[in-house]
């Protein structure tokens, strides 16, 4: 049995991940802003805003899944959250799994062209794609034990 924390468990991806973890017998901790919105069964609930988390809140987990989705108009939060997570986890030996976005995926073997590079910039969700791609580079440059998971464009 693993101890898994899922940040933003009340969202689509976070809820599915926590549900799977709990269903497979893992100790699943939901970290949510509003526990009333939680729709899945978990072992423990921590009601706290992502920007108020402490290293102590995240200590002791085998894995921490970040399924945060920034609200429209606050897409820069993806980079802000990346910096917060790096600071919080710098002395914690847990794997961080970030549910990112397809915009960071490379389209070629030489890793020069990303999906972000070929998507029209006038799409209404382009700011989300851009900021998620920026966040992926922040995590990549960190020293964390991190996996940036990129679901399909229309997950």
């Amino acid at each position: 049995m693993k101890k898994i924390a899922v940040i933003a468990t009340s969202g689509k991806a976070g809820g599915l991940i926590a549900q799977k973890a709990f269903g497979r017998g893992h100790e699943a901790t939901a970290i949510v802003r509003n526990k009333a919105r939680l729709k899945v069964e978990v072992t423990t609930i921590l009601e706290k805003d992502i920007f108020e988390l402490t290293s102590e809140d995240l200590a002791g987990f085998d894995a921490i899944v970040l399924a945060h989705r920034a609200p429209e108009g606050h897409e820069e939060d993806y980079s802000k959250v990346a910096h917060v997570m790096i600071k919080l986890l710098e002395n914690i030996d847990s794997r961080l799994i970030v549910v990112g976005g397809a915009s960071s995926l490379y389209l070629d073997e030489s890793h020069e062209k990303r999906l972000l590079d070929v998507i029209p910039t006038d799409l209404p969700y382009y700011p989300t794609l851009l900021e998620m791609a920026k966040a992926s580079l922040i995590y990549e440059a960190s020293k964390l034990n991190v996996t940036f998971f990129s679901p399909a464009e229309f997950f």
Side-chain angles (χ1 to χ4, degrees):
M1 175 173 70
K2 301 285 185 186
K3 288 183 69 175
I4 302 169
V6 181
I7 300 171
T9 314
S10 58
K12 181 179 179 179
L16 290 170
I17 292 166
Q19 181 179 27
K20 281 286 188 194
F22 184 79
R24 291 185 179 177
H26 298 296
E27 186 178 314
T29 297
I31 301 176
V32 294
R33 271 191 325 249
N34 181 353
K35 65 183 178 183
R37 294 187 57 219
L38 190 62
K39 296 182 175 112
V40 297
E41 189 175 0
V42 293
T43 311
T44 308
I45 301 170
L46 173 59
E47 189 174 33
K48 207 166 200 184
D49 185 271
I50 197 166
F51 293 109
E52 295 173 2
L53 288 172
T54 66
S55 293
E56 292 77 24
D57 293 328
L58 301 178
F61 291 101
D62 297 297
I64 300 163
V65 178
L66 175 63
H68 167 260
R69 183 172 187 268
E72 188 175 335
H74 297 274
E75 292 84 359
E76 70 282 351
D77 281 359
Y78 291 113
S79 293
K80 289 179 184 176
V81 168
H83 290 293
V84 166
M85 295 306 294
I86 290 166
K87 180 72 176 155
L88 291 176
L89 298 175
E90 65 186 352
N91 296 314
I92 295 176
D93 189 31
S94 299
R95 173 172 287 287
L96 174 63
I97 301 169
V98 179
V99 180
S103 61
S104 63
L105 295 175
Y106 289 100
L107 301 176
D108 58 346
E109 289 185 33
S110 62
H111 288 186
E112 293 178 14
K113 186 188 294 186
R114 296 176 299 166
L115 182 60
L116 180 68
D117 301 327
V118 299
I119 292 177
T121 59
D122 61 347
L123 292 173
Y125 53 90
Y126 184 80
T128 295
L129 301 176
L130 175 63
E131 294 301 326
M132 280 188 161
K134 286 181 184 178
S136 75
L137 297 175
I138 293 168
Y139 288 113
E140 187 178 313
S142 79
K143 295 181 182 187
L144 293 182
N145 181 4
V146 62
T147 299
F148 192 89
F149 175 77
S150 297
E153 185 178 357
F154 292 102
F155 167 69

